[in-house]
């Protein structure tokens, strides 16, 4: 699927939201502290409220946390906006969770994984001292969810088998490029490997309670 075809699948209101969020990030980037900790990705990461938790004083870390994720985006989107989402912040650590929409939008696997490599390589070339963490994809639950129209569309091209296969390819990429591959999903899945109902509101996105589980698992890397 080409970038143009992918964008045509998005609701115009969603595209407007993405553009507005990018503009907001560009403004915020003017006053960020360099050398801090950055999170990027799509909706899974955008909805992870770690930056808000830190700003409110709910959690404390040595470095400032910035989140520059944008919902409904792919690896190509990050390549297109890599300055706003990454380079302008010059982070010392970056946590990346991107690619589930590549799978969902049925981007050809070779293009998806090539794009992911380009993201890592461009970070390494531009920010050689930045420590990079590639996150394993979180589990989903299409057993207890998927009955309504929106959920059915969501799960038509997304499932744990596809996510696990892609994660293993990302693990190989991380090893080849000399970056970290981490799994911070411990405790999210039930005995069958599906995302626990109490940790999601639609079977794919993580609830606040689930985000607390992820935060606990992330703590050792922050």
């Amino acid at each position: 699927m080409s970038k143009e075809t992918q964008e045509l699948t998005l609701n115009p209101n969603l595209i407007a939201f993405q553009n507005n969020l990018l503009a907001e990030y560009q403004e915020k980037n003017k006053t960020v502290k360099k050398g801090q900790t950055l999170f990027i990705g799509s909706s899974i990461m955008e909805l992870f409220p770690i930056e808000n938790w830190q700003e409110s004083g709910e959690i404390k870390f040595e470095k400032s946390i910035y989140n520059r994720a944008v919902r409904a985006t792919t690896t190509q989107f990050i390549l297109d906006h890599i300055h706003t989402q990454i380079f302008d912040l010059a982070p010392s650590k970056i946590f990346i969770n991107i690619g589930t929409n590549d799978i969902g939008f049925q981007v050809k696997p070779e293009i998806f994984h090539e794009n992911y490599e380009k993201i890592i390589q461009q970070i390494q070339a531009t920010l050689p001292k930045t420590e990079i963490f590639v996150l394993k994809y979180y589990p989903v639950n299409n057993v207890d969810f998927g009955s309504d129209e929106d959920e059915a569309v969501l799960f038509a091209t997304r499932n744990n088998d596809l996510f696990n296969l892609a994660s293993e390819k990302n693990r190989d990429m991380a090893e080849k490029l000399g970056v970290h591959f981490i799994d911070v999903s411990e405790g999210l899945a039930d005995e069958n490997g599906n995302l626990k109902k109490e940790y999601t509101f639609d079977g794919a996105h993580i609830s606040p309670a689930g985000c607390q589980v992820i935060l606990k698992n992330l703590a050792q890397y922050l």
Side-chain angles (χ1 to χ4, degrees), residues 154-169:
L154 182 68
F155 290 118
T157 54
R158 295 169 171 86
N159 59 62
N160 286 322
D161 287 341
L162 288 173
F163 284 6
N164 288 334
L165 178 60
S167 282
E168 287 308 305
K169 290 184 178 179

Side-chain angles (χ1 to χ4, degrees), residues 20-199:
N20 289 337
L21 188 57
L22 284 170
E24 179 183 324
Y25 288 161
Q26 288 167 357
E27 190 62 27
K28 287 182 175 181
N29 288 350
K30 296 176 182 178
T31 57
V32 298
K33 293 187 290 186
K34 308 294 186 181
Q36 305 304 302
T37 299
L38 175 64
F39 287 77
I40 65 164
S42 54
S43 57
I44 296 292
M45 194 66 96
E46 185 196 328
L47 296 173
F48 185 54
I50 188 168
E51 182 177 2
N52 295 335
W53 285 336
Q54 187 182 55
E55 288 178 350
S56 68
E58 188 173 343
I59 57 175
K60 296 183 184 297
F61 297 109
E62 181 180 347
K63 292 184 178 294
S64 296
I65 304 289
Y66 298 115
N67 189 332
R68 292 295 182 266
V70 180
R71 68 189 63 181
T73 57
T74 63
T75 51
Q76 183 62 54
F77 187 95
I78 289 182
L79 286 171
D80 291 341
H81 304 283
I82 200 162
H83 285 273
T84 298
Q85 293 188 270
I86 303 175
F87 294 161
D88 289 350
L89 296 97
S92 60
K93 290 184 178 181
I94 179 169
F95 294 85
I96 308 175
N97 188 346
I98 191 68
T100 55
N101 287 325
D102 291 74
I103 296 168
F105 294 152
Q106 296 183 297
V107 175
K108 291 181 180 180
E110 59 269 26
I111 295 176
F112 156 34
H113 292 290
E114 180 182 353
N115 284 346
Y116 212 146
E117 280 204 27
K118 287 179 180 178
I119 292 169
I120 304 300
Q121 290 169 334
Q122 288 188 28
I123 296 170
Q124 290 176 320
T126 305
L127 304 168
K129 295 183 179 180
T130 297
E131 194 171 8
I132 302 169
F133 297 82
V134 173
L135 273 63
K136 180 181 179 181
Y137 299 131
Y138 304 143
V140 296
N141 183 336
N142 58 358
V143 175
D144 299 298
F145 297 85
S147 57
D148 69 30
E149 184 177 352
D150 288 341
E151 291 173 359
V153 171
L154 182 68
F155 290 118
T157 54
R158 295 169 171 86
N159 59 62
N160 286 322
D161 287 341
L162 288 173
F163 284 6
N164 288 334
L165 178 60
S167 282
E168 287 308 305
K169 290 184 178 179
N170 291 343
R171 183 193 300 272
D172 293 341
M173 171 197 68
E175 182 177 356
K176 181 178 74 172
L177 298 178
V179 301
H180 305 284
F181 179 89
I182 60 174
D183 180 0
V184 295
S185 65
E186 182 180 359
L188 289 180
D190 62 21
E191 63 274 12
N192 297 313
N194 297 309
L195 181 59
K196 292 179 180 178
K197 289 188 289 185
E198 61 265 35
Y199 291 152

